[in-house]
Amino acid sequence: MEAVLSHLRGAIERGEYAIGGRLPSEAELCRTLEVSRPVLREALRALQTMGLTVSRTGKGTFVVADAVEDPTFGDYTAGDLLEVRRHVEVPVAGYAARRRTPDDLDRLTRLLDRMERETDTTVWVAMDTLFHLTVAEAARNPVFRRVIEEIRDALARQSAFLNELGGRREQSDREHRAIVRALTDGSEHDAVEAMTHHLDRVETTLTAIVRPARTPTHDSPQAV
């Protein structure tokens, strides 16, 4: 899927598909790029998340921008989401280190064990959002939980996006494990540091996807 997305994104950025114009039909793109329809649809969804295209029912996919600015996950842009997460989840981790119960630690540990064994990305993404919600619950403040619940769908969409395009899954597992270690130790400082590092890595991966290093390429449908 990454190769298909890279090809289509490059064509849009080079102006081969102009702003306001419609992409070829799915059937035509599948033939040209020699890929299956599910793979193509994943790439098209990623283009829409990046803000390069919009899908209009019964009409097709249209180009609306020739450069990625800020991906949108559900109702929120990546920038807005990350800003809120830094102001909420970092202090939440600190409170959770001070207030967590043995039951909280048990739930988080069992959840991480399942995540590290899970092979279905969709299931893993659901558990990823549950992990962050469980940390918020361990902070023992219902407002924190409500905030995470509000952005839970956006977190899931972002998680799927990062895993599909940035290979974040194994790294996320390690970062989550570090957060739980800090909570287990009851170290507010380490919990804050671990959550900050986690969000830093999220931002780094997003930036790499949105603004990849420019290298000379000779894209062609056969290379996809």
Side-chain angles (χ1 to χ4, degrees):
M1 192 280 284
E2 292 89 342
V4 178
L5 174 62
S6 178
H7 176 81
L8 293 174
R9 177 180 177 178
I12 291 172
E13 291 176 336
R14 291 190 299 271
E16 295 175 20
Y17 298 124
I19 293 176
R22 185 175 62 183
L23 295 184
S25 69
E26 288 187 4
E28 184 177 347
L29 285 172
C30 284
R31 286 194 302 270
T32 302
L33 303 178
E34 299 180 355
V35 296
S36 66
R37 188 156 295 198
V39 169
L40 176 67
R41 285 178 174 171
E42 285 184 29
L44 292 176
R45 282 195 295 269
L47 288 176
Q48 187 163 332
T49 297
M50 290 177 171
L52 294 175
T53 64
V54 295
S55 178
R56 296 171 184 159
T57 303
K59 296 183 178 180
T61 299
F62 292 80
V63 178
V64 294
D66 58 9
V68 179
E69 296 296 333
D70 197 4
T72 299
F73 301 106
D75 295 330
Y76 308 108
T77 66
D80 288 344
L81 191 62
L82 187 61
E83 183 175 64
V84 168
R85 295 188 70 184
R86 287 191 183 281
H87 281 84
V88 174
E89 291 195 79
V90 171
V92 159
Y95 286 122
R98 290 160 46 189
R99 301 170 179 170
R100 86 290 183 279
T101 67
D103 283 345
D104 294 325
L105 296 176
D106 183 60
R107 289 175 61 200
L108 286 166
T109 299
R110 285 189 288 108
L111 182 58
L112 282 184
D113 289 342
R114 290 172 55 201
M115 292 175 73
E116 290 171 351
R117 293 193 305 267
E118 184 56 58
T119 58
D120 187 314
T121 299
T122 301
V123 175
W124 187 93
V125 164
M127 289 191 289
D128 183 22
T129 60
L130 179 58
F131 174 85
H132 288 276
L133 184 61
T134 304
V135 173
E137 290 173 343
R140 294 292 176 274
N141 184 324
V143 180
F144 285 141
R145 176 191 168 91
R146 182 63 61 87
V147 172
I148 301 303
E149 285 180 333
E150 167 62 28
I151 64 174
R152 189 173 183 178
D153 177 67
L155 290 179
R157 290 169 185 258
Q158 183 185 71
S159 179
F161 181 79
L162 293 175
N163 280 298
E164 187 67 48
L165 303 180
R168 276 276 303 158
R169 181 170 162 172
E170 290 184 4
Q171 190 176 53
S172 289
D173 283 339
R174 291 193 295 271
E175 292 159 12
H176 289 160
R177 186 66 70 178
I179 292 169
V180 173
R181 280 198 300 270
L183 299 186
T184 301
D185 293 342
S187 173
E188 182 175 359
H189 175 270
D190 289 351
V192 165
E193 287 292 310
M195 185 64 79
T196 299
H197 175 71
H198 178 54
L199 296 180
D200 284 345
R201 297 309 302 165
V202 167
E203 182 174 22
T204 297
T205 305
L206 271 170
T207 300
I209 294 170
V210 173
R211 298 179 181 84
R214 297 295 182 182
T215 56
T217 60
H218 300 283
D219 289 337
S220 65
Q222 289 73 27
V224 171

